[in-house]
Amino acid sequence: MMNKLTEEFIKEGERLDDLLCGGYHIIQNPDIFCFGMDAVLLADFASGKSKGKVIDLGTGTGVIPVLMEARGKGEHFTGLEIQSYSADMARRSVLYNGLSDKIEIIEGDIKEVSCLFKAASFDVVTSNPPYIKGSHGLENINTPKNIARHEILLELEDVIRAAGYLLKQGGSFAMVHKPFRLAEIIRLMSKYKLEPKRLCMVQPYDNKEPNMVLIEASKGGNPMIKVEPALVVYNHDGTYTDGLLNRYGGYKTEQNI
């Protein structure tokens, strides 16, 4: 049963999930979209800067800024989200957690960042963008879940271009995506002066091929990339591996890899 304070923040169909991190909670609507393990892993993987300004592109529920704040990976965070309902939900999570002085949610289009922010105004950019090209065969393509998963409102290049514009020289851009698009990701990063510096593949099991990639680039960095050991999610008995638990902590997600 929700207490009176919670009822002031939660709308019909929504729930309040305990992130088990920093005492923070996140408001989600399972009928709309819930964050997944990819967001949690990105929040852990991103280097961040303890005194830096961080922006999360396509922030959804705002979970990445909240988790990064809990880990001290920035001084001030901005979440940019194009969908009005998701942006409103993220703002209410920020208010509920008492983080209004540290996290700002802005409703806006990633493709229009030059109208919203000055160039080179952030130390860190993160993004968990849509993975799937196009929307062929989808019914009602403009549902929040389809927009989050498919390149309906933007393409991969739009995200990487925005990161290049927003970052200060020497700043970092961390992203989670699918391995089958890695060559395209690296090509586009190079186009916008983002030099890949760290890469980690994520495998569901140790005998399965990777189905997720974490990559971090530096604005104007020198060529040299560190390939980290692959992260395996599940033991063969279906339990989480120690490597996953060390990164995953106690965070709750709706989706598994």
Side-chain angles (χ1 to χ4, degrees):
M1 180 177 293
M2 293 189 294
N3 59 38
K4 186 174 181 180
L5 174 62
T6 302
E7 289 176 343
E8 295 175 1
F9 290 91
I10 309 301
K11 296 182 178 180
E12 184 177 355
E14 297 176 349
R15 69 188 192 203
L16 186 69
D17 289 340
D18 187 350
L19 290 175
L20 302 178
C21 180
Y24 295 150
H25 295 72
I26 202 82
I27 299 168
Q28 304 199 90
N29 187 330
D31 293 328
I32 301 298
F33 192 77
C34 290
F35 75 88
M37 188 181 292
D38 45 6
V40 176
L41 293 180
L42 178 60
D44 172 80
F45 178 79
S47 296
K49 291 187 177 181
S50 60
K51 299 297 182 182
K53 291 180 63 179
V54 181
I55 184 168
D56 183 44
L57 302 177
T59 200
T61 62
V63 68
I64 290 174
V66 172
L67 292 179
M68 289 185 69
E69 195 285 329
R71 294 193 173 199
K73 291 189 173 185
E75 187 171 24
H76 188 271
F77 301 83
T78 299
L80 181 64
E81 173 56 43
I82 194 170
Q83 299 190 73
S84 298
Y85 176 67
S86 294
D88 174 68
M89 195 160 43
R91 287 192 191 101
R92 286 183 279 121
S93 287
V94 170
L95 286 169
Y96 184 88
N97 290 304
L99 293 172
S100 297
D101 60 333
K102 294 185 177 181
I103 300 176
E104 178 183 16
I105 304 298
I106 294 176
E107 184 179 335
D109 191 337
I110 290 171
K111 294 184 290 187
E112 302 295 333
V113 291
S114 62
C115 300
L116 298 169
F117 308 99
K118 293 181 179 179
S121 53
F122 291 90
D123 301 286
V124 177
V125 176
T126 59
S127 187
N128 178 10
Y131 296 149
I132 305 170
K133 282 190 173 185
S135 56
H136 180 72
L138 286 178
E139 295 183 8
N140 192 9
I141 64 171
N142 289 318
T143 65
K145 287 184 179 180
N146 283 336
I147 288 171
R149 294 169 177 165
H150 295 258
E151 292 183 344
I152 294 169
L153 299 183
L154 83 169
E155 297 180 353
L156 176 61
E157 183 165 4
D158 297 318
V159 177
I160 295 175
R161 181 193 299 112
Y165 170 83
L166 293 167
L167 277 177
K168 298 176 181 178
Q169 193 75 0
S172 65
F173 170 46
M175 182 172 64
V176 59
H177 217 286
K178 292 296 185 181
F180 73 88
R181 299 190 70 179
L182 183 57
E184 182 184 4
I185 289 167
I186 292 175
R187 176 179 61 81
L188 288 170
M189 284 182 167
S190 177
K191 179 177 178 179
Y192 293 102
K193 312 301 181 186
L194 298 167
E195 184 65 34
K197 305 299 288 184
R198 297 169 57 221
L199 185 148
C200 179
M201 290 290 189
V202 182
Q203 300 172 222
Y205 294 90
D206 60 10
N207 60 346
K208 299 291 185 181
E209 66 180 37
N211 60 358
M212 192 177 299
V213 60
L214 296 158
I215 186 167
E216 186 172 67
S218 175
K219 176 73 174 288
N222 295 322
M224 187 176 74
I225 186 169
K226 176 183 178 181
V227 179
E228 300 180 356
L231 174 62
V232 179
V233 175
Y234 297 109
N235 296 308
H236 289 280
D237 63 2
T239 59
Y240 288 133
T241 63
D242 289 341
L244 187 281
L245 290 173
N246 288 339
R247 294 186 184 227
Y248 190 65
Y251 306 137
K252 291 182 178 180
T253 70
E254 183 71 13
Q255 305 162 348
N256 289 324
I257 289 180

